[in-house]
Amino acid sequence: MIELIPAIDIIDGQCVRLTKGDYAQKIIYRNSPVQAAKEFEQLGFRRLHVVDLDGAKSKHIVNDAVLKAITTETGLTVDFGGGIKTDEDIEKAFKAGAAMVTIGSIAVTQPDLFLGWLDKYGADRLILGADVRNGKISINGWKDDSEEGLLPFLKRYIDHGVRKVLCTDISKDGTLQGPATELYRSVMAEYPQLHLIASGGVSSIDDLRALDEAGIPAVVFGKAIYEGRINLKELTNRQSSIENNVN
């Protein structure tokens, strides 16, 4: 059963979505990320993916106060990413209540620092961010492309104990054109031990079903929720029904 994780992306303290990571294509969906998080919790979600887009652009955490408000005012398990570049940044995220942090750019540009964090905090608290454009890993809020290929990048850190990976196909993100299911399927075929979190392009419950049938462990989705493409009550009722049948 696939884990369903709603997303909140933050710019200027507001809940937004971008298209293909383009800050010029910003749509504001909620003035209060905290209220959005409360609504997700009320609908029965247990997990939340929060991205500090200001932080990703500025290369340091900006919205840790918003993160703190979300983790204080809800019981959601929150994973947080965006702008985590230093020891101070990662400590800020954890002190603000993040259960896990997503690290992408640093794993490319400063692998020794990432490995140090992996040793210090453990693989359960770190998610490796693998944002892909044209087969290469992108960094710094998707503004820059590296020379790192996806599968070699993953293997390097799987060999060091990484088990959680958030993989976003940037060409799909925010487009509502369907997820890169075959990409995620190929990753799982190569590394079946991963807890892979798919991200980007989800437009409907059918897309979620397709990812589930492909054996993808988890999925992050946001724009389809805010655009009303997915009936959240139907979705969470279905999820509860599945969980009850399993239990």
Side-chain angles (χ1 to χ4, degrees), residues 1-5 165-167 179-189 191-192 194-199 202 207-220:
M1 180 182 61
I2 194 166
E3 182 181 16
L4 304 175
I5 309 171
V165 172
L166 173 67
C167 185
T181 305
E182 290 308 311
L183 172 67
Y184 306 131
R185 196 194 302 271
S186 69
V187 171
M188 290 302 300
Y191 305 119
L194 281 182
H195 183 78
L196 182 67
I197 307 166
S199 174
V202 170
D207 287 338
L208 298 175
R209 185 182 297 113
L211 289 168
D212 191 20
E213 291 173 352
I216 310 307
V219 57
V220 163

Side-chain angles (χ1 to χ4, degrees), residues 66-217:
V66 180
L67 170 63
K68 178 68 172 177
I70 291 172
T71 59
T72 300
E73 297 185 36
T74 76
L76 293 166
T77 298
V78 179
D79 70 81
F80 179 85
I84 299 176
K85 306 293 186 185
T86 65
D87 291 335
E88 181 182 7
D89 287 323
I90 196 169
E91 282 296 322
K92 274 186 179 180
F94 285 133
K95 286 179 180 177
M100 293 161 279
V101 295
T102 300
I103 308 294
S105 299
I106 287 298
V108 175
T109 62
Q110 299 183 60
D112 289 342
L113 180 58
F114 177 76
L115 291 174
W117 290 344
L118 192 62
D119 288 340
K120 182 176 181 178
Y121 299 107
D124 286 342
R125 300 193 75 189
L126 265 63
I127 301 170
L128 179 63
D131 301 325
V132 184
R133 181 162 44 212
N134 299 323
K136 302 291 186 180
I137 300 295
S138 289
I139 59 175
N140 297 327
W142 302 350
K143 297 193 303 294
D144 304 312
D145 293 328
S146 75
E147 294 303 314
E148 293 267 8
L150 174 60
L151 292 181
F153 175 71
L154 296 181
K155 184 179 188 308
R156 181 199 314 171
Y157 291 115
I158 288 169
D159 289 346
H160 285 279
V162 163
R163 289 296 176 267
K164 297 177 181 179
V165 172
L166 173 67
C167 185
T168 303
D169 184 333
I170 296 169
S171 70
K172 297 282 191 177
D173 192 71
T175 65
L176 298 173
Q177 294 178 356
T181 305
E182 290 308 311
L183 172 67
Y184 306 131
R185 196 194 302 271
S186 69
V187 171
M188 290 302 300
E190 190 75 19
Y191 305 119
Q193 71 271 41
L194 281 182
H195 183 78
L196 182 67
I197 307 166
S199 174
V202 170
S203 65
S204 66
I205 288 179
D206 286 342
D207 287 338
L208 298 175
R209 185 182 297 113
L211 289 168
D212 191 20
E213 291 173 352
I216 310 307

